[in-house]
Amino acid sequence: MEISPPLSVHDVTFDTVADVIVVGMGAAGACAAIEAHEAGANVLVIERTSGGGGSSAMAGGYVYFGGGTRVQKANGFDDTPQEMFKFIMAVTPEPNEKKIRLYCDDSVAHFDWMERQGVPFNDRFFPGKDPEHPTDETLSWTGNEDCWPFNQVAKPVPRGHKIGVNGAAAYAMMNALIATVQRIGIRVEFDSAVNALVVDDDGRIVGVRYRQFDAVKYAQARKGVVLTTGGYVWNEALIAKYTPAMALEGINPHGAPTSDGAGHLLGLSVGGVFMNMQAAMISIPIYAPESRIRGILVNKFGKRFINEDTYHGRATAFAMDQPDMVAYLICDMPSFGEQNGYEALIDAWETVAEMERDLGIPEGALQETLRTYNENAARGEDPEFHKGKKYLVPQVEPPFAAVNITLGPVRAQGLTQGGLTTTENAEVVDAAGKPIPGLYAAGATASNIAKDSRGYASGFMIGESTYFGRRAGAHAAGR
Ligand SMILES: Cc1cc2nc3c(=O)[nH]c(=O)nc-3n(C[C@H](O)[C@H](O)[C@H](O)COP(=O)(O)OP(=O)(O)OC[C@H]3O[C@@H](n4cnc5c(N)ncnc54)[C@H](O)[C@@H]3O)c2cc1C
């Protein structure tokens, strides 16, 4: 959608007024609105669609909590905010220490707050490894906590907290959050797209312009405007300019159609600056079934390049770094297990020599890689890549399968992660690092914790959307 330059307060007549205006009602917006309301503010949410939910309602439903949540304790996992902090600091490129510290220290309280809003979690644990487990257990491993090298840095514990329903689950979180917004009486204008900010003579953001069907309306914000319009996966111009990886052939943009960067551009229009815009979470999962992790990932020269038990987004990032981005998962029959319906199985061969020839891998290279891997695996070792012991199983039972992990021929899911630069209180800052008075951003509109595929853990994005959404709402309300 078209975003206009800021309007002077002298050129508009406001149709309505609130203390805090929240633009967009996905996870970040709903949490910002609830928190601002709880802080005593009069809140108006302006939402472009007829019901809200955004990408948040489409999501798998992992939220990254830790530090000793009730669910972790119920399953015997001993976690602390400090271990969580060490882990997130280690996986995050250019980490913002202050934000990560707050996120970890407040995680247990944030989990409890989400439950109080009616978001359903249970006390059960899913022990396997699945990019999105189909059942409803809340706790599961969703990142690199138990994988080398990060298991050397912080005590490995699971921190993915799935919303407790079967299948893609985050819709149930959004149902609960939106129900709370409605129950506590927060005003929401649906079918209303904000397309400009209103500024006073001191540069303070004092309102918004929005289109509601054919009408153009103006809303005044006495205390602040919170931008929570989601990511920009559907904005071709922003993708082309900032996120070249997302423009590669084979990337399947993941996100609601409203993820077109409206909030990013609104922030930019008043002097906000972007951060981490090159980053995207791109993934071609090699599992489920979990047994495939016993296989090996190789490039077109038959060489391994990563411990295969690593998070699927991290494995994909390393695969994309290989010559011509060509990568295959090679495994034997028992490890291949059931077809999952998504994988790009190339074929299966009785011998590795035949497979190697048909894949165009230099003669002997894959055979040598597999021989070395098998010898080490038989001793429970992986000296080169340090894959976890439980996955070190020699690949010896034909036929041998090759699954394509090459971006282009194989489609990958991709999300944007960059956004407006903000303080730990979600204030949007300008190029000098100074907060723009009255302007906040959170969720996929801002850059907070999730920084790329290599360090990503499922749950970071909803985790930061809900947490920093709350901080935005509280600060805008003057708490
Ligand atoms: C299929 C899928 C699975 C995912 N799984 C996970 C997961 O398991 N865990 C995880 O952490 N992350 C996951 N993600 C990522 C995560 O869902 C998003 O990063 C996060 O939900 C973003 O939340 P948000 O509130 O910032 O934006 P959104 O949820 O997209 O909400 C933005 C809202 O703003 C509204 N809006 C947009 N423009 C305007 C405008 N101009 N005026 C008014 N309103 C506007 C939209 O209509 C929308 O309601 C997944 C994403 C997808 C697509």
Side-chain angles (χ1 to χ4, degrees), residues 284-286 292-306 308 315-316 318-320 322-331 336 344-347 349 355-362 366 369-370 387 400-407 409-410:
I284 306 173
I286 66 164
R292 295 211 187 140
I293 297 171
R294 298 182 213 146
I296 55 172
L297 275 168
V298 297
N299 63 19
K300 69 184 219 181
F301 299 114
K303 300 281 183 220
R304 285 176 76 204
F305 52 84
I306 187 85
E308 292 81 5
T316 303
F318 277 76
M320 287 169 65
Q322 301 308 306
D324 300 328
M325 295 196 294
V326 172
Y328 308 109
L329 172 73
I330 310 292
C331 59
F336 183 77
L345 174 65
I346 298 173
D347 209 342
W349 294 262
M355 173 197 275
E356 184 180 75
R357 187 196 59 219
D358 288 356
L359 294 179
I361 293 174
L366 181 57
T369 300
L370 201 58
K387 181 155 74 176
F400 297 94
V403 179
N404 206 350
I405 311 290
T406 306
L407 183 66
V410 182

Short mmCIF file of all heavy atoms in Angstrom, two decimals, residues 284-286 292-306 308 315-316 318-320 322-331 336 344-347 349 355-362 366 369-370 387 400-407 409-410:
data_model
loop_
_atom_site.label_atom_id
_atom_site.label_comp_id
_atom_site.label_asym_id
_atom_site.label_seq_id
_atom_site.Cartn_x
_atom_site.Cartn_y
_atom_site.Cartn_z
N ILE A 284 14.53 -24.92 4.49
CA ILE A 284 14.06 -26.17 3.86
C ILE A 284 14.36 -27.26 4.90
O ILE A 284 15.49 -27.73 4.99
CB ILE A 284 14.86 -26.49 2.57
CG1 ILE A 284 14.84 -25.31 1.60
CG2 ILE A 284 14.31 -27.76 1.91
CD1 ILE A 284 15.75 -25.51 0.39
N PRO A 285 13.38 -27.61 5.72
CA PRO A 285 13.68 -28.57 6.81
C PRO A 285 14.11 -29.93 6.28
O PRO A 285 13.53 -30.43 5.31
CB PRO A 285 12.35 -28.68 7.55
CG PRO A 285 11.57 -27.49 7.16
CD PRO A 285 12.00 -27.13 5.77
N ILE A 286 15.14 -30.52 6.92
CA ILE A 286 15.53 -31.89 6.52
C ILE A 286 14.77 -32.92 7.35
O ILE A 286 14.75 -34.09 7.04
CB ILE A 286 17.05 -32.14 6.63
CG1 ILE A 286 17.53 -32.08 8.09
CG2 ILE A 286 17.83 -31.19 5.76
CD1 ILE A 286 18.92 -32.69 8.27
N ARG A 292 15.85 -38.89 9.92
CA ARG A 292 16.68 -38.40 8.79
C ARG A 292 17.93 -37.66 9.26
O ARG A 292 18.88 -37.51 8.52
CB ARG A 292 15.86 -37.48 7.90
CG ARG A 292 14.75 -38.25 7.25
CD ARG A 292 14.40 -37.72 5.90
NE ARG A 292 13.22 -38.46 5.48
CZ ARG A 292 12.20 -37.93 4.86
NH1 ARG A 292 12.20 -36.67 4.54
NH2 ARG A 292 11.16 -38.68 4.53
N ILE A 293 17.87 -37.19 10.52
CA ILE A 293 19.03 -36.47 11.06
C ILE A 293 20.24 -37.40 11.15
O ILE A 293 21.38 -36.96 11.16
CB ILE A 293 18.66 -35.86 12.43
CG1 ILE A 293 17.54 -34.84 12.24
CG2 ILE A 293 19.86 -35.20 13.10
CD1 ILE A 293 16.93 -34.34 13.54
N ARG A 294 19.98 -38.70 11.15
CA ARG A 294 21.10 -39.66 11.16
C ARG A 294 21.88 -39.63 9.85
O ARG A 294 23.00 -40.11 9.77
CB ARG A 294 20.56 -41.07 11.35
CG ARG A 294 19.83 -41.30 12.64
CD ARG A 294 19.44 -42.77 12.63
NE ARG A 294 18.21 -43.06 13.28
CZ ARG A 294 17.36 -44.02 12.88
NH1 ARG A 294 17.60 -44.73 11.80
NH2 ARG A 294 16.27 -44.26 13.55
N GLY A 295 21.26 -39.14 8.79
CA GLY A 295 21.92 -39.06 7.49
C GLY A 295 22.94 -37.93 7.46
O GLY A 295 23.23 -37.30 8.49
N ILE A 296 23.50 -37.67 6.27
CA ILE A 296 24.49 -36.60 6.16
C ILE A 296 24.06 -35.58 5.12
O ILE A 296 23.43 -35.92 4.12
CB ILE A 296 25.90 -37.14 5.81
CG1 ILE A 296 25.87 -37.98 4.53
CG2 ILE A 296 26.48 -37.93 6.98
CD1 ILE A 296 27.27 -38.37 4.03
N LEU A 297 24.40 -34.32 5.38
CA LEU A 297 24.18 -33.25 4.41
C LEU A 297 25.49 -33.04 3.66
O LEU A 297 26.53 -32.85 4.30
CB LEU A 297 23.79 -31.96 5.14
CG LEU A 297 22.32 -31.79 5.48
CD1 LEU A 297 22.13 -30.63 6.46
CD2 LEU A 297 21.47 -31.58 4.23
N VAL A 298 25.42 -33.10 2.34
CA VAL A 298 26.65 -32.90 1.55
C VAL A 298 26.42 -31.88 0.45
O VAL A 298 25.28 -31.65 0.03
CB VAL A 298 27.14 -34.23 0.91
CG1 VAL A 298 27.51 -35.25 1.97
CG2 VAL A 298 26.11 -34.78 -0.07
N ASN A 299 27.52 -31.29 -0.03
CA ASN A 299 27.44 -30.36 -1.16
C ASN A 299 27.69 -31.10 -2.46
O ASN A 299 27.81 -32.34 -2.47
CB ASN A 299 28.38 -29.17 -0.94
CG ASN A 299 29.84 -29.59 -0.90
OD1 ASN A 299 30.20 -30.69 -1.35
ND2 ASN A 299 30.67 -28.74 -0.34
N LYS A 300 27.82 -30.36 -3.55
CA LYS A 300 27.96 -31.03 -4.84
C LYS A 300 29.30 -31.73 -5.02
O LYS A 300 29.49 -32.48 -5.97
CB LYS A 300 27.70 -30.06 -5.98
CG LYS A 300 28.74 -28.99 -6.17
CD LYS A 300 28.27 -28.06 -7.28
CE LYS A 300 29.42 -27.64 -8.15
NZ LYS A 300 29.02 -26.74 -9.21
N PHE A 301 30.21 -31.51 -4.08
CA PHE A 301 31.48 -32.24 -4.10
C PHE A 301 31.47 -33.42 -3.13
O PHE A 301 32.51 -34.02 -2.86
CB PHE A 301 32.65 -31.29 -3.77
CG PHE A 301 32.77 -30.18 -4.78
CD1 PHE A 301 32.55 -28.86 -4.42
CD2 PHE A 301 33.08 -30.47 -6.10
CE1 PHE A 301 32.64 -27.85 -5.36
CE2 PHE A 301 33.17 -29.47 -7.06
CZ PHE A 301 32.95 -28.15 -6.68
N GLY A 302 30.30 -33.68 -2.58
CA GLY A 302 30.19 -34.83 -1.67
C GLY A 302 30.74 -34.57 -0.29
O GLY A 302 30.97 -35.50 0.48
N LYS A 303 30.95 -33.30 0.05
CA LYS A 303 31.53 -32.95 1.36
C LYS A 303 30.44 -32.52 2.33
O LYS A 303 29.53 -31.74 1.97
CB LYS A 303 32.50 -31.77 1.21
CG LYS A 303 33.66 -32.06 0.29
CD LYS A 303 34.71 -32.90 1.00
CE LYS A 303 35.92 -33.13 0.10
NZ LYS A 303 36.45 -34.49 0.21
N ARG A 304 30.57 -32.96 3.56
CA ARG A 304 29.66 -32.47 4.61
C ARG A 304 30.01 -31.02 4.94
O ARG A 304 31.13 -30.59 4.73
CB ARG A 304 29.78 -33.32 5.88
CG ARG A 304 29.12 -34.68 5.79
CD ARG A 304 29.38 -35.46 7.06
NE ARG A 304 28.57 -35.02 8.18
CZ ARG A 304 28.91 -35.20 9.46
NH1 ARG A 304 30.05 -35.79 9.78
NH2 ARG A 304 28.11 -34.78 10.43
N PHE A 305 29.01 -30.31 5.52
CA PHE A 305 29.30 -28.90 5.84
C PHE A 305 28.68 -28.44 7.16
O PHE A 305 28.87 -27.29 7.56
CB PHE A 305 28.85 -27.98 4.69
CG PHE A 305 27.42 -28.19 4.25
CD1 PHE A 305 26.37 -27.57 4.91
CD2 PHE A 305 27.13 -29.01 3.17
CE1 PHE A 305 25.07 -27.77 4.52
CE2 PHE A 305 25.81 -29.21 2.76
CZ PHE A 305 24.78 -28.58 3.43
N ILE A 306 27.94 -29.30 7.86
CA ILE A 306 27.27 -28.86 9.11
C ILE A 306 26.86 -30.10 9.89
O ILE A 306 26.66 -31.16 9.30
CB ILE A 306 26.02 -27.99 8.78
CG1 ILE A 306 25.36 -27.37 10.02
CG2 ILE A 306 24.96 -28.80 8.03
CD1 ILE A 306 25.96 -26.08 10.45
N GLU A 308 24.16 -32.23 11.23
CA GLU A 308 22.82 -32.34 10.66
C GLU A 308 21.71 -32.18 11.70
O GLU A 308 20.53 -32.00 11.35
CB GLU A 308 22.66 -33.68 9.93
CG GLU A 308 23.50 -33.81 8.66
CD GLU A 308 24.96 -34.20 8.94
OE1 GLU A 308 25.31 -34.45 10.12
OE2 GLU A 308 25.75 -34.24 7.97
N ALA A 315 20.78 -25.08 9.15
CA ALA A 315 21.28 -26.01 8.13
C ALA A 315 21.04 -25.43 6.73
O ALA A 315 21.92 -25.51 5.85
CB ALA A 315 20.57 -27.36 8.27
N THR A 316 19.88 -24.81 6.53
CA THR A 316 19.58 -24.24 5.21
C THR A 316 20.53 -23.09 4.89
O THR A 316 21.01 -22.96 3.76
CB THR A 316 18.11 -23.75 5.17
OG1 THR A 316 17.26 -24.86 5.49
CG2 THR A 316 17.75 -23.22 3.79
N PHE A 318 23.59 -22.73 5.87
CA PHE A 318 24.88 -23.30 5.47
C PHE A 318 24.77 -23.95 4.09
O PHE A 318 25.72 -23.89 3.30
CB PHE A 318 25.36 -24.32 6.52
CG PHE A 318 26.06 -23.67 7.68
CD1 PHE A 318 25.34 -23.01 8.67
CD2 PHE A 318 27.44 -23.69 7.78
CE1 PHE A 318 25.98 -22.38 9.73
CE2 PHE A 318 28.10 -23.06 8.83
CZ PHE A 318 27.37 -22.41 9.82
N ALA A 319 23.62 -24.55 3.79
CA ALA A 319 23.43 -25.15 2.46
C ALA A 319 23.50 -24.07 1.38
O ALA A 319 24.08 -24.27 0.31
CB ALA A 319 22.09 -25.88 2.40
N MET A 320 22.93 -22.91 1.69
CA MET A 320 22.94 -21.81 0.71
C MET A 320 24.33 -21.25 0.50
O MET A 320 24.59 -20.56 -0.49
CB MET A 320 21.96 -20.72 1.16
CG MET A 320 20.50 -21.14 0.98
SD MET A 320 19.35 -19.99 1.78
CE MET A 320 19.62 -18.50 0.82
N GLN A 322 26.94 -23.15 0.09
CA GLN A 322 27.73 -24.14 -0.66
C GLN A 322 27.81 -23.74 -2.14
O GLN A 322 26.96 -22.96 -2.61
CB GLN A 322 27.09 -25.53 -0.51
CG GLN A 322 27.00 -26.02 0.93
CD GLN A 322 28.33 -25.94 1.66
OE1 GLN A 322 29.34 -26.46 1.19
NE2 GLN A 322 28.36 -25.25 2.79
N PRO A 323 28.79 -24.26 -2.85
CA PRO A 323 28.91 -23.92 -4.27
C PRO A 323 27.59 -24.17 -5.02
O PRO A 323 26.99 -25.23 -4.88
CB PRO A 323 30.01 -24.89 -4.76
CG PRO A 323 30.79 -25.25 -3.54
CD PRO A 323 29.83 -25.20 -2.39
N ASP A 324 27.15 -23.15 -5.74
CA ASP A 324 25.87 -23.17 -6.48
C ASP A 324 24.67 -23.47 -5.58
O ASP A 324 23.60 -23.84 -6.06
CB ASP A 324 25.90 -24.18 -7.64
CG ASP A 324 26.99 -23.86 -8.63
OD1 ASP A 324 27.30 -22.66 -8.80
OD2 ASP A 324 27.57 -24.80 -9.20
N MET A 325 24.85 -23.33 -4.28
CA MET A 325 23.80 -23.58 -3.28
C MET A 325 23.28 -25.03 -3.34
O MET A 325 22.20 -25.33 -2.86
CB MET A 325 22.63 -22.61 -3.42
CG MET A 325 23.02 -21.18 -3.13
SD MET A 325 21.61 -20.11 -2.85
CE MET A 325 20.83 -20.12 -4.43
N VAL A 326 24.08 -25.93 -3.97
CA VAL A 326 23.61 -27.32 -4.11
C VAL A 326 23.88 -28.09 -2.81
O VAL A 326 24.98 -28.03 -2.27
CB VAL A 326 24.33 -28.02 -5.29
CG1 VAL A 326 24.00 -29.51 -5.32
CG2 VAL A 326 23.92 -27.36 -6.61
N ALA A 327 22.84 -28.75 -2.33
CA ALA A 327 23.00 -29.58 -1.13
C ALA A 327 22.02 -30.75 -1.17
O ALA A 327 20.91 -30.63 -1.71
CB ALA A 327 22.76 -28.75 0.13
N TYR A 328 22.49 -31.87 -0.64
CA TYR A 328 21.64 -33.07 -0.57
C TYR A 328 21.69 -33.65 0.83
O TYR A 328 22.75 -33.61 1.48
CB TYR A 328 22.15 -34.15 -1.52
CG TYR A 328 22.38 -33.71 -2.94
CD1 TYR A 328 23.68 -33.58 -3.45
CD2 TYR A 328 21.31 -33.44 -3.78
CE1 TYR A 328 23.90 -33.17 -4.75
CE2 TYR A 328 21.52 -33.04 -5.10
CZ TYR A 328 22.82 -32.90 -5.57
OH TYR A 328 23.04 -32.51 -6.85
N LEU A 329 20.57 -34.22 1.23
CA LEU A 329 20.58 -35.07 2.42
C LEU A 329 20.68 -36.50 1.93
O LEU A 329 19.86 -36.93 1.10
CB LEU A 329 19.28 -34.89 3.23
CG LEU A 329 19.12 -35.89 4.37
CD1 LEU A 329 20.06 -35.55 5.52
CD2 LEU A 329 17.68 -35.93 4.86
N ILE A 330 21.68 -37.21 2.42
CA ILE A 330 21.88 -38.60 2.01
C ILE A 330 21.63 -39.50 3.23
O ILE A 330 22.22 -39.27 4.29
CB ILE A 330 23.36 -38.83 1.55
CG1 ILE A 330 23.79 -37.77 0.54
CG2 ILE A 330 23.58 -40.25 1.07
CD1 ILE A 330 23.12 -37.84 -0.80
N CYS A 331 20.75 -40.46 3.06
CA CYS A 331 20.51 -41.38 4.19
C CYS A 331 20.10 -42.75 3.69
O CYS A 331 19.74 -42.91 2.52
CB CYS A 331 19.45 -40.81 5.13
SG CYS A 331 17.88 -40.51 4.38
N PHE A 336 15.62 -42.84 6.32
CA PHE A 336 14.67 -42.07 5.50
C PHE A 336 13.27 -42.17 6.10
O PHE A 336 12.54 -41.19 6.17
CB PHE A 336 14.68 -42.58 4.06
CG PHE A 336 13.77 -41.77 3.17
CD1 PHE A 336 14.16 -40.51 2.72
CD2 PHE A 336 12.51 -42.24 2.82
CE1 PHE A 336 13.31 -39.75 1.92
CE2 PHE A 336 11.66 -41.48 2.02
CZ PHE A 336 12.07 -40.24 1.58
N ALA A 344 11.84 -33.16 -1.30
CA ALA A 344 12.15 -33.31 -2.71
C ALA A 344 13.07 -34.52 -2.86
O ALA A 344 14.28 -34.38 -3.03
CB ALA A 344 12.81 -32.04 -3.22
N LEU A 345 12.48 -35.70 -2.77
CA LEU A 345 13.26 -36.93 -2.91
C LEU A 345 13.71 -37.03 -4.36
O LEU A 345 12.88 -36.98 -5.27
CB LEU A 345 12.40 -38.13 -2.52
CG LEU A 345 13.02 -39.50 -2.76
CD1 LEU A 345 14.23 -39.71 -1.87
CD2 LEU A 345 11.99 -40.60 -2.51
N ILE A 346 15.02 -37.16 -4.56
CA ILE A 346 15.50 -37.27 -5.95
C ILE A 346 15.33 -38.70 -6.42
O ILE A 346 14.74 -38.97 -7.46
CB ILE A 346 16.98 -36.82 -6.05
CG1 ILE A 346 17.09 -35.35 -5.65
CG2 ILE A 346 17.50 -37.04 -7.47
CD1 ILE A 346 18.51 -34.84 -5.57
N ASP A 347 15.84 -39.62 -5.65
CA ASP A 347 15.74 -41.04 -6.00
C ASP A 347 16.39 -41.85 -4.89
O ASP A 347 16.92 -41.28 -3.94
CB ASP A 347 16.44 -41.31 -7.35
CG ASP A 347 15.81 -42.50 -8.08
OD1 ASP A 347 15.09 -43.28 -7.42
OD2 ASP A 347 16.04 -42.64 -9.29
N TRP A 349 19.06 -45.43 -4.47
CA TRP A 349 19.98 -46.29 -5.22
C TRP A 349 20.44 -47.44 -4.34
O TRP A 349 20.56 -47.28 -3.12
CB TRP A 349 21.22 -45.49 -5.65
CG TRP A 349 20.97 -44.38 -6.64
CD1 TRP A 349 21.16 -44.45 -7.99
CD2 TRP A 349 20.54 -43.05 -6.36
NE1 TRP A 349 20.86 -43.23 -8.57
CE2 TRP A 349 20.47 -42.35 -7.61
CE3 TRP A 349 20.18 -42.35 -5.21
CZ2 TRP A 349 20.09 -41.01 -7.71
CZ3 TRP A 349 19.78 -41.03 -5.31
CH2 TRP A 349 19.73 -40.37 -6.56
N MET A 355 24.66 -43.68 -6.85
CA MET A 355 24.07 -42.39 -6.46
C MET A 355 25.01 -41.24 -6.80
O MET A 355 24.63 -40.24 -7.40
CB MET A 355 23.78 -42.39 -4.96
CG MET A 355 23.33 -41.05 -4.44
SD MET A 355 23.48 -40.95 -2.65
CE MET A 355 21.97 -41.68 -2.14
N GLU A 356 26.26 -41.44 -6.43
CA GLU A 356 27.30 -40.44 -6.65
C GLU A 356 27.40 -40.08 -8.14
O GLU A 356 27.43 -38.91 -8.52
CB GLU A 356 28.60 -41.06 -6.15
CG GLU A 356 29.81 -40.22 -6.16
CD GLU A 356 30.97 -41.06 -5.62
OE1 GLU A 356 31.47 -41.95 -6.36
OE2 GLU A 356 31.36 -40.85 -4.47
N ARG A 357 27.39 -41.12 -8.97
CA ARG A 357 27.49 -40.90 -10.41
C ARG A 357 26.28 -40.10 -10.91
O ARG A 357 26.41 -39.11 -11.61
CB ARG A 357 27.56 -42.26 -11.11
CG ARG A 357 27.84 -42.18 -12.61
CD ARG A 357 27.50 -43.49 -13.29
NE ARG A 357 26.09 -43.82 -13.08
CZ ARG A 357 25.62 -45.04 -12.85
NH1 ARG A 357 26.41 -46.08 -12.79
NH2 ARG A 357 24.32 -45.24 -12.66
N ASP A 358 25.09 -40.52 -10.50
CA ASP A 358 23.87 -39.87 -11.01
C ASP A 358 23.72 -38.44 -10.52
O ASP A 358 23.12 -37.59 -11.19
CB ASP A 358 22.63 -40.68 -10.62
CG ASP A 358 22.55 -41.98 -11.41
OD1 ASP A 358 23.41 -42.17 -12.31
OD2 ASP A 358 21.66 -42.79 -11.13
N LEU A 359 24.27 -38.15 -9.33
CA LEU A 359 24.19 -36.78 -8.82
C LEU A 359 25.30 -35.89 -9.37
O LEU A 359 25.34 -34.68 -9.11
CB LEU A 359 24.25 -36.77 -7.28
CG LEU A 359 23.08 -37.40 -6.54
CD1 LEU A 359 23.32 -37.34 -5.02
CD2 LEU A 359 21.76 -36.73 -6.88
N GLY A 360 26.24 -36.48 -10.10
CA GLY A 360 27.33 -35.70 -10.68
C GLY A 360 28.39 -35.32 -9.67
O GLY A 360 29.14 -34.37 -9.85
N ILE A 361 28.46 -36.07 -8.57
CA ILE A 361 29.48 -35.81 -7.54
C ILE A 361 30.78 -36.49 -8.00
O ILE A 361 30.74 -37.61 -8.53
CB ILE A 361 29.00 -36.37 -6.18
CG1 ILE A 361 27.79 -35.56 -5.70
CG2 ILE A 361 30.11 -36.34 -5.14
CD1 ILE A 361 27.13 -36.09 -4.44
N PRO A 362 31.94 -35.83 -7.84
CA PRO A 362 33.20 -36.44 -8.29
C PRO A 362 33.35 -37.87 -7.79
O PRO A 362 33.06 -38.15 -6.62
CB PRO A 362 34.27 -35.52 -7.70
CG PRO A 362 33.59 -34.21 -7.48
CD PRO A 362 32.15 -34.51 -7.21
N LEU A 366 31.75 -38.98 -2.46
CA LEU A 366 30.65 -39.26 -1.54
C LEU A 366 30.90 -40.59 -0.81
O LEU A 366 30.62 -40.72 0.39
CB LEU A 366 29.32 -39.31 -2.30
CG LEU A 366 28.08 -39.57 -1.47
CD1 LEU A 366 27.92 -38.53 -0.36
CD2 LEU A 366 26.82 -39.59 -2.35
N THR A 369 33.28 -39.81 1.93
CA THR A 369 32.62 -39.06 3.02
C THR A 369 31.77 -39.99 3.88
O THR A 369 31.82 -39.94 5.11
CB THR A 369 31.75 -37.92 2.44
OG1 THR A 369 32.59 -37.06 1.69
CG2 THR A 369 31.04 -37.13 3.52
N LEU A 370 31.02 -40.84 3.21
CA LEU A 370 30.12 -41.72 3.95
C LEU A 370 30.92 -42.78 4.73
O LEU A 370 30.56 -43.10 5.87
CB LEU A 370 29.13 -42.40 2.99
CG LEU A 370 27.87 -42.93 3.64
CD1 LEU A 370 27.09 -41.82 4.37
CD2 LEU A 370 26.94 -43.57 2.61
N LYS A 387 27.99 -33.81 15.59
CA LYS A 387 26.55 -34.12 15.68
C LYS A 387 26.29 -34.88 16.98
O LYS A 387 27.14 -35.65 17.44
CB LYS A 387 26.14 -34.96 14.46
CG LYS A 387 24.68 -35.33 14.44
CD LYS A 387 24.16 -35.59 13.04
CE LYS A 387 24.62 -36.89 12.44
NZ LYS A 387 23.99 -37.12 11.12
N PHE A 400 19.83 -46.29 -0.74
CA PHE A 400 20.26 -45.00 -0.19
C PHE A 400 19.50 -43.88 -0.89
O PHE A 400 19.44 -43.85 -2.12
CB PHE A 400 21.77 -44.82 -0.39
CG PHE A 400 22.58 -45.86 0.34
CD1 PHE A 400 22.99 -47.02 -0.31
CD2 PHE A 400 22.90 -45.69 1.69
CE1 PHE A 400 23.71 -47.99 0.37
CE2 PHE A 400 23.61 -46.66 2.37
CZ PHE A 400 24.02 -47.82 1.71
N ALA A 401 18.92 -43.01 -0.08
CA ALA A 401 18.09 -41.94 -0.65
C ALA A 401 18.87 -40.63 -0.71
O ALA A 401 19.70 -40.36 0.16
CB ALA A 401 16.85 -41.74 0.22
N ALA A 402 18.58 -39.83 -1.73
CA ALA A 402 19.10 -38.46 -1.81
C ALA A 402 17.91 -37.51 -1.86
O ALA A 402 17.05 -37.62 -2.73
CB ALA A 402 19.97 -38.28 -3.05
N VAL A 403 17.87 -36.62 -0.88
CA VAL A 403 16.80 -35.61 -0.84
C VAL A 403 17.43 -34.27 -1.20
O VAL A 403 18.48 -33.91 -0.66
CB VAL A 403 16.17 -35.54 0.58
CG1 VAL A 403 15.08 -34.48 0.63
CG2 VAL A 403 15.63 -36.90 1.00
N ASN A 404 16.80 -33.57 -2.11
CA ASN A 404 17.36 -32.29 -2.57
C ASN A 404 17.09 -31.19 -1.54
O ASN A 404 15.97 -31.04 -1.04
CB ASN A 404 16.71 -31.91 -3.90
CG ASN A 404 17.60 -31.01 -4.73
OD1 ASN A 404 18.62 -30.54 -4.23
ND2 ASN A 404 17.24 -30.80 -5.98
N ILE A 405 18.16 -30.47 -1.18
CA ILE A 405 18.03 -29.35 -0.23
C ILE A 405 18.55 -28.09 -0.94
O ILE A 405 19.10 -27.19 -0.32
CB ILE A 405 18.85 -29.63 1.06
CG1 ILE A 405 18.58 -31.01 1.64
CG2 ILE A 405 18.60 -28.58 2.16
CD1 ILE A 405 17.18 -31.18 2.25
N THR A 406 18.39 -28.06 -2.26
CA THR A 406 18.94 -26.97 -3.06
C THR A 406 17.88 -25.91 -3.31
O THR A 406 16.85 -26.20 -3.92
CB THR A 406 19.45 -27.53 -4.41
OG1 THR A 406 20.36 -28.59 -4.14
CG2 THR A 406 20.11 -26.44 -5.23
N LEU A 407 18.14 -24.70 -2.82
CA LEU A 407 17.18 -23.62 -3.04
C LEU A 407 17.08 -23.34 -4.53
O LEU A 407 18.07 -23.27 -5.24
CB LEU A 407 17.64 -22.36 -2.31
CG LEU A 407 16.68 -21.19 -2.41
CD1 LEU A 407 15.38 -21.48 -1.69
CD2 LEU A 407 17.30 -19.93 -1.86
N PRO A 409 15.42 -25.27 -7.17
CA PRO A 409 14.60 -26.43 -7.47
C PRO A 409 13.66 -26.78 -6.32
O PRO A 409 12.57 -27.31 -6.53
CB PRO A 409 15.62 -27.56 -7.67
CG PRO A 409 16.94 -26.92 -7.82
CD PRO A 409 16.85 -25.51 -7.29
N VAL A 410 14.11 -26.51 -5.10
CA VAL A 410 13.27 -26.81 -3.94
C VAL A 410 12.83 -25.49 -3.31
O VAL A 410 13.63 -24.59 -3.11
CB VAL A 410 14.06 -27.64 -2.90
CG1 VAL A 410 13.16 -28.00 -1.73
CG2 VAL A 410 14.63 -28.89 -3.54
#
